[in-house]
Amino acid sequence: MAAAPETMRAVRIAKYGGPERAALETNVPVPTCGPEHVLVRIHAASLNPLDYKERTGLLAKVFKYALPMTLGHDFAGVVAAVGEGVTDIAVGDAVWGVTSILSGGTLAEYAVVRVSEIGRKPANLTFAEAASLPLVGLTSMQALTKTAGVREDSRVLITGIGGVGAVAVQIASRVLRANTTVLVSTSKVARAQELGATTAIDYTTTDYKAQLSELDCVYAAVGKQSDYLPLVKRGG
């Protein structure tokens, strides 16, 4: 593999604000990787609500970002260089991952990533597909397992099948083998079933509150969590 260039293109912000603050810069120095880090040639990156919250400064009171900064967290690409102490990943490996909240940097041609934040890209996924999954996948997996304790045959309700909801349905149904009910509009019932929902309820035509009770978990991907609390059993 050819050596990385000295400069690259990257989407960066120098000040917080609206979309106009995000600028494509064409002469950004390519970062160098230190110990336990790798340099990734980015093939695809995706955007999440986290990214606009960083751009607008909504998170600046909680996290101390250094401006200017390169945006982006989810990514997929190919390893261009490895730092000292990296033994499980090699130059040329196709990888995917998500950078930490203070790291960012994936809306660029190259990004330095901690080796603990990446894994080998599944061969059956394109780079674009792989880049779309890390943050929503981790969000759903952590919420369903660590927070809610979902396991086989748990009764789970998921509201909506947007970015997070669509992944949550697949994890709950196909990975954790829970009994998964999904609330969607009429046009999305078939899609929810394709994703693995045990039951798909059209909330525009059905009184779902009359059908559901004693749930172990409600994953409110859309809507207010408080609206669904009466459906959850004690201890759920």
Side-chain angles (χ1 to χ4, degrees):
M1 176 177 290
E6 294 183 357
T7 60
M8 65 179 183
R9 294 174 297 174
V11 177
R12 292 165 62 80
I13 58 169
K15 295 181 179 180
Y16 298 121
E20 71 281 358
R21 293 295 188 187
L24 176 62
E25 299 183 16
T26 59
N27 198 33
V28 180
V30 171
T32 56
C33 56
E36 304 297 328
H37 287 71
V38 301
L39 177 67
V40 178
R41 170 72 167 95
I42 303 296
H43 284 228
S46 63
L47 294 173
N48 296 281
L50 168 64
D51 299 301
Y52 87 77
K53 292 176 182 178
E54 290 179 332
R55 188 206 70 226
T56 59
L58 287 174
L59 299 179
K61 294 182 180 180
V62 180
F63 302 102
K64 295 186 180 299
Y65 296 101
L67 298 179
M69 66 179 287
T70 300
L71 299 170
H73 291 277
D74 281 351
F75 71 92
V78 175
V79 176
V82 299
E84 181 181 352
V86 176
T87 58
D88 295 334
I89 297 291
V91 172
D93 284 350
V95 295
W96 64 338
V98 55
T99 60
S100 68
I101 189 109
L102 289 176
S103 298
T106 65
L107 293 187
E109 293 181 289
Y110 290 87
V112 166
V113 186
R114 187 180 299 276
V115 71
S116 61
E117 297 170 345
I118 66 174
R120 287 185 175 81
K121 181 185 73 67
N124 63 333
L125 295 181
T126 66
F127 284 105
E129 290 169 340
S132 72
L133 289 171
L135 189 55
V136 293
L138 287 172
T139 298
S140 298
M141 180 63 82
Q142 290 172 353
L144 290 170
T145 59
K146 293 185 177 182
T147 303
V150 172
R151 55 188 181 275
E152 186 171 359
D153 294 328
S154 291
R155 300 184 68 234
V156 177
L157 172 65
I158 296 174
T159 64
I161 52 171
V164 172
V167 174
V169 172
Q170 295 176 79
I171 291 175
S173 298
R174 297 176 175 172
V175 178
L176 303 177
R177 299 185 181 279
N179 186 321
T180 307
T181 299
V182 183
L183 288 184
V184 289
S185 59
T186 306
S187 63
K188 296 182 179 179
V189 169
R191 178 56 177 161
Q193 293 169 335
E194 291 174 359
L195 292 171
T198 308
T199 304
I201 296 178
D202 180 354
Y203 65 82
T204 68
T205 61
T206 304
D207 181 6
Y208 65 87
K209 292 183 179 180
Q211 294 188 13
L212 300 172
S213 64
E214 294 295 299
L215 297 171
D216 294 294
C217 167
V218 173
Y219 193 108
V222 295
K224 296 180 180 180
Q225 292 182 343
S226 57
D227 292 342
Y228 308 105
L229 286 179
L231 307 178
V232 181
K233 70 180 185 182
R234 182 179 296 276

